[in-house]
Amino acid sequence: MTDSLRAWRREFPILDRCTYLVSHSLGAMPRGVTAELAAYTDLWAARGVRAWAEGWWDLPVTVGDRVGRIIGAAPGSVVMHQNVSVCQSLILSCFDLGGRRNKIVYEDLNFPSVMYVYEAHRDLGARVEMVRSDDGITVPLERYLAAIDETTLLVPLSHVVFRSGFVQDVAAIVTRAHEVGALVVADLYQSAGTVPADVTAWDVDFATGGSVKWLCGGPGAGYLYVAPRLRDRLKPRVTGWMAHAHPFAFETGPIEYARDAMRFLHGTPAIPALYAARAGQEIIEKVGVAAIREKSRRQVQMLMDLAGEHGFSTGTPSDPDKRGGMVILDVPHGAAVTRELLRRDVVVDHRPGAGIRYSPHFYTDDDEIVHAVSETRRILDAGAYRAHEAAGGAGF
Ligand SMILES: Cc1ncc(COP(=O)(O)O)c(C=O)c1O
């Protein structure tokens, strides 16, 4: 079968050096990042402080617009921040937790950093209710919908679950939440760039994610979407001068919020990270998430089949519509096997209680997948993991 996306491999130097199956953690660096970072230093060197007026000041919105095109957001509705945890904190800071509507509902498979943000607000009145998974892989939708009631304030869910690749039904959860006056925050980190996401079609209230993984954009470039219909009534307490309507008036006293997306910024943004993120976004946009998803579905199925052939069970949903871009293999001695895989230049990762995560992306060749799974089997059969068993730390 011809793979038209193979041509993109030349844009990612690391693919010549190893078997790279870890885009659920850190997407491969596009070679264009080097030029982007040079553009950043060139502008700073040549123009100095004038760089702010020549692009830097607006960068959280102009880069946000590029993310917006990937996740179905209208122009001017996405701003860039450092990471998801900051975005979740900023969203939560728009609300009062002292009243009757103070319940936070999310799945127990949610990304822990998101949990830490909401748990830390229990002192201020937040009541966190976790929707239990029975199998550690999927989350029953009916149970999720039943947990959302008239006292629910926010539902900060993961579109794709980081420890299993399970795809949640965001639209159904939004419909239920809106019926009872609750708002939904969709974490798109494990979907945007590999699984289609459409914040406008879902009518979701907030969305957040980052550039590190499937967007191949590197660290420091998280994004925050706020539905335009909500903008004017939200007043984040996590704020700063960039969110002011007239930042350069340097007015003393309380903030007068900007009337556009800048309202959801705070202080000086991480400009180099925003430059770096553009190269990956440009490629993802050109390739198109639909084409990426099509290839991903085929290669994810291939991984599932190979896992079965090599005697591994998977911690990934069996329904192709319900799984994202990664496959989790339940491999005995998983942490030690992962270390040996890394030593052999097969780059995957291990999550305690889940297993070894393998992810093809649009730049992955089929034979890399075959190699990774058979190498895993060989390491186990030969006991080549034993030397790593004493090593501490879970690693990245
Ligand atoms: C679903 C999900 N949310 C959030 C994060 C990261 O959060 P942050 O951007 O705060 O580091 C990750 C992975 O690192 C993730 O998989």
Side-chain angles (χ1 to χ4, degrees):
M1 163 193 293
T2 56
D3 175 359
S4 60
L5 303 192
R6 276 209 82 242
W8 290 100
R9 287 178 66 83
R10 69 173 87 95
E11 297 301 322
F12 297 88
I14 200 170
L15 303 181
D16 294 337
R17 300 190 190 119
C18 62
T19 302
Y20 200 76
L21 292 174
V22 76
S23 303
H24 56 263
S25 174
L26 182 65
M29 190 197 88
R31 68 173 73 251
V33 172
T34 310
E36 285 288 3
L37 289 176
Y40 158 69
T41 53
D42 288 351
L43 189 65
W44 183 9
R47 303 293 295 159
V49 73
R50 291 167 290 186
W52 286 110
E54 294 169 12
W56 285 8
W57 184 261
D58 296 327
L59 216 52
V61 177
T62 55
V63 174
D65 279 345
R66 287 161 175 257
V67 175
R69 292 199 289 271
I70 297 169
I71 63 169
S77 61
V78 178
V79 290
M80 302 303 291
H81 280 287
Q82 187 186 340
N83 58 47
V84 165
S85 308
V86 164
C87 295
Q88 299 275 2
S89 303
L90 196 146
I91 293 166
L92 187 48
S93 81
C94 298
F95 301 98
D96 284 325
L97 293 163
R100 201 174 97 81
R101 192 182 280 282
N102 56 6
K103 183 167 148 183
I104 311 292
V105 176
Y106 51 71
E107 64 279 3
D108 63 354
L109 304 180
N110 209 349
F111 191 72
S113 190
V114 175
M115 298 183 182
Y116 304 153
V117 170
Y118 291 92
E119 285 285 343
H121 286 75
R122 280 191 191 266
D123 286 355
L124 295 179
R127 286 182 301 123
V128 176
E129 181 173 327
M130 286 208 279
V131 182
R132 303 274 162 208
S133 161
D134 292 325
D135 56 5
I137 299 172
T138 59
V139 187
L141 180 61
E142 289 312 313
R143 197 177 293 168
Y144 215 127
L145 301 183
I148 302 170
D149 61 21
E150 278 73 13
T151 67
T152 305
L153 177 66
L154 288 173
V155 183
L157 58 80
S158 276
H159 180 206
V160 173
V161 167
F162 83 104
R163 57 168 78 243
S164 67
F166 176 57
V167 179
Q168 303 215 80
D169 189 341
V170 181
I173 295 171
V174 168
T175 302
R176 169 66 188 152
H178 288 181
E179 268 167 21
V180 293
L183 302 174
V184 176
V185 185
D187 178 345
L188 308 181
Y189 222 140
Q190 291 293 356
S191 59
T194 185
V195 174
D198 192 333
V199 293
T200 305
W202 290 333
D203 197 23
V204 71
D205 306 285
F206 304 95
T208 180
S211 306
V212 171
K213 306 171 191 299
W214 307 97
L215 295 179
C216 302
Y223 54 87
L224 169 64
Y225 163 79
V226 180
R229 62 185 154 73
L230 291 178
R231 182 188 302 145
D232 293 345
R233 60 177 163 109
L234 296 176
K235 296 180 174 166
R237 294 182 183 89
V238 172
T239 191
W241 70 301
M242 279 194 80
H244 199 286
H246 319 288
F248 293 99
F250 297 102
E251 287 169 11
T252 52
I255 184 165
E256 178 192 338
Y257 289 99
R259 277 168 202 83
D260 55 16
M262 303 292 268
R263 185 183 188 95
F264 301 108
L265 292 177
H266 42 66
T268 310
I271 299 296
L274 302 185
Y275 270 83
R278 296 196 297 199
Q281 291 165 351
E282 202 175 307
I283 292 177
I284 298 290
E285 247 198 292
K286 278 193 189 142
V287 181
V289 177
I292 295 174
R293 176 69 169 159
E294 195 184 327
K295 176 168 175 178
S296 168
R297 283 174 72 109
R298 184 179 66 73
Q299 290 191 324
V300 163
Q301 185 60 53
M302 189 181 163
L303 254 163
M304 300 286 286
D305 295 344
L306 281 167
E309 284 164 29
H310 286 85
F312 299 122
S313 57
T314 61
T316 306
S318 47
D319 178 354
D321 292 335
K322 287 283 161 209
R323 62 187 182 219
M326 71 175 98
V327 174
I328 291 85
L329 300 200
D330 183 9
V331 178
H333 315 283
V337 170
T338 301
R339 287 197 188 93
E340 180 60 16
L341 282 166
L342 290 172
R343 200 188 65 76
R344 296 182 185 194
D345 281 334
V346 176
V347 187
V348 293
D349 68 9
H350 177 260
R351 288 292 171 266
I356 305 181
R357 303 190 296 178
Y358 302 72
S359 293
H361 205 0
F362 61 97
Y363 40 60
T364 303
D365 273 344
D366 289 359
D367 53 12
E368 293 180 291
I369 296 173
V370 174
H371 174 63
V373 181
S374 39
E375 207 61 9
T376 305
R377 185 74 258 170
R378 266 194 290 273
I379 289 168
L380 259 183
D381 290 349
Y385 59 88
R386 288 199 190 101
H388 303 280
E389 274 195 312
F396 294 97

